[in-house]
Amino acid sequence: MTINNEKELQGMRAISEAVAVTLKEMRAYTRPGMSTKQLDNYGGQVLSTFGARSAPQLTYNFPGFTCISLNNEVCHGIPSNDRIIQDGDVINIDVSAELDGYWSDNGGSFIVGQDRHEKKHLVDTSRDVLKKAINSIKGGVKINEVGGLIEKEVKNAGYKVIKNLGGHGIGRGLHEQPDTILNYKDRIDERRFRKNSVVAIETFISTASTWAVELSDGFTLVGDKGGFSVQHEHTIVVTDGLPIILTEANGIWD
């Protein structure tokens, strides 16, 4: 989507506030001992207060309002009454939704309770690299240069990027062009970010894996070589300078 007028910008701000506040509230609500379905149901309730509808449900008939992934799961984890959140789990919550024809997406990983697996540095790296990547984006910048920045920063921190996942255009649908905004430098990709375009920028990093593979449930993705995986994501508007971070209210950088 390209922002052409104030009405479109306000539409994107409204849905972005809905997904951002939902993510923030879900993070605060998360406790050891609750199921991922309990957490998801809470997220669905928050979305409903904005009048927003779950994007995964609308687009893919996903069996949950949000995607909740634990530890070795890279993304698209299905909420379940049988999946109980444990103290020390590395959890990722991804919230995307639609409101009045506009769509927005955001996500974040964090540690529940005590850092029993010593993964704070992994989580911090993903969050900090996302900030560096977003701050490097403006109209005319090559998409693969941002991917190269992400990969370099992640490798310097001692981790790996998931190479078959990335960010995407968004606005009038959940996934739009430009698609596959990858976390590494694809040297044959000549595309550039366009001013006023709306994109969701995501980091996908792992302690051991470089590829995400789908489980038999048809949704959940895990690393091909195991390890812990994390993700952080913001929806932004590209400008001539620093981007407008539409989902800033989620507080993942606080």
Side-chain angles (χ1 to χ4, degrees):
M1 178 183 179
T2 300
I3 299 292
N4 296 301
N5 52 57
E6 185 64 23
K7 179 182 177 182
E8 291 178 343
L9 179 58
Q10 291 308 312
M12 284 306 304
R13 287 192 185 279
I15 181 54
S16 296
E17 179 186 14
V19 298
V21 170
T22 299
L23 175 58
K24 185 174 184 178
E25 292 295 320
M26 289 179 72
R27 285 165 54 94
Y29 187 73
T30 304
R31 294 289 186 276
M34 69 170 50
S35 72
T36 55
K37 186 58 181 172
Q38 283 177 277
L39 178 58
D40 180 62
N41 286 340
Y42 177 74
Q45 291 171 10
V46 179
L47 280 176
S48 69
T49 65
F50 290 92
R53 300 185 296 167
S54 164
Q57 287 184 345
L58 289 173
T59 307
Y60 301 112
N61 198 28
F62 182 76
F65 298 103
T66 67
C67 299
I68 302 176
S69 309
L70 297 176
N71 300 321
N72 68 313
E73 297 169 347
V74 181
C75 60
H76 303 164
I78 297 174
S80 169
N81 287 318
D82 298 326
R83 196 74 186 274
I84 305 302
I85 299 168
Q86 306 293 327
D87 187 52
D89 275 348
V90 178
I91 188 171
N92 176 265
I93 303 173
D94 192 306
V95 182
S96 56
E98 177 273 341
L99 177 65
D100 296 331
Y102 297 97
W103 303 64
S104 189
D105 194 357
N106 69 163
S109 294
F110 59 100
I111 296 163
V112 182
Q114 297 183 32
D115 185 14
R116 297 183 182 277
H117 302 290
E118 298 183 343
K119 291 296 175 283
K120 181 179 185 298
H121 183 256
L122 175 68
V123 172
D124 289 349
T125 297
S126 174
R127 185 185 63 233
D128 295 346
V129 170
L130 179 65
K131 179 179 281 190
K132 289 182 180 180
I134 286 176
N135 286 342
S136 75
I137 294 172
K138 61 182 178 180
V141 170
K142 290 184 71 173
I143 288 175
N144 70 359
E145 292 293 340
V146 176
L149 181 155
I150 292 172
E151 183 176 35
K152 179 181 178 182
E153 293 287 337
V154 168
K155 282 188 172 181
N156 286 344
Y159 304 114
K160 303 175 185 295
V161 299
I162 301 295
K163 292 196 169 185
N164 60 327
L165 295 173
H168 51 91
I170 193 169
R172 289 297 189 178
L174 179 57
H175 291 105
E176 298 181 337
Q177 295 298 321
D179 59 0
T180 57
I181 302 174
L182 298 172
N183 282 192
Y184 70 98
K185 187 171 185 176
D186 179 0
R187 297 189 182 279
I188 65 172
D189 187 357
E190 296 296 327
R191 299 174 299 168
R192 296 177 183 271
F193 287 102
R194 292 181 294 107
K195 181 182 177 182
N196 297 327
S197 64
V198 184
V199 292
I201 304 297
E202 309 181 61
T203 52
F204 289 98
I205 76 174
S206 172
T207 58
S209 296
T210 58
W211 204 258
V213 294
E214 188 175 273
L215 297 183
S216 59
D217 64 23
F219 288 104
T220 307
L221 295 176
V222 299
D224 61 336
K225 296 181 180 178
F228 285 78
S229 295
V230 293
Q231 177 257 21
H232 287 85
E233 175 183 20
H234 271 304
T235 292
I236 68 171
V237 179
V238 180
T239 73
D240 282 333
L242 290 174
I244 300 168
I245 303 172
L246 294 171
T247 50
E248 190 170 20
N250 64 27
I252 63 173
W253 286 340
D254 292 347

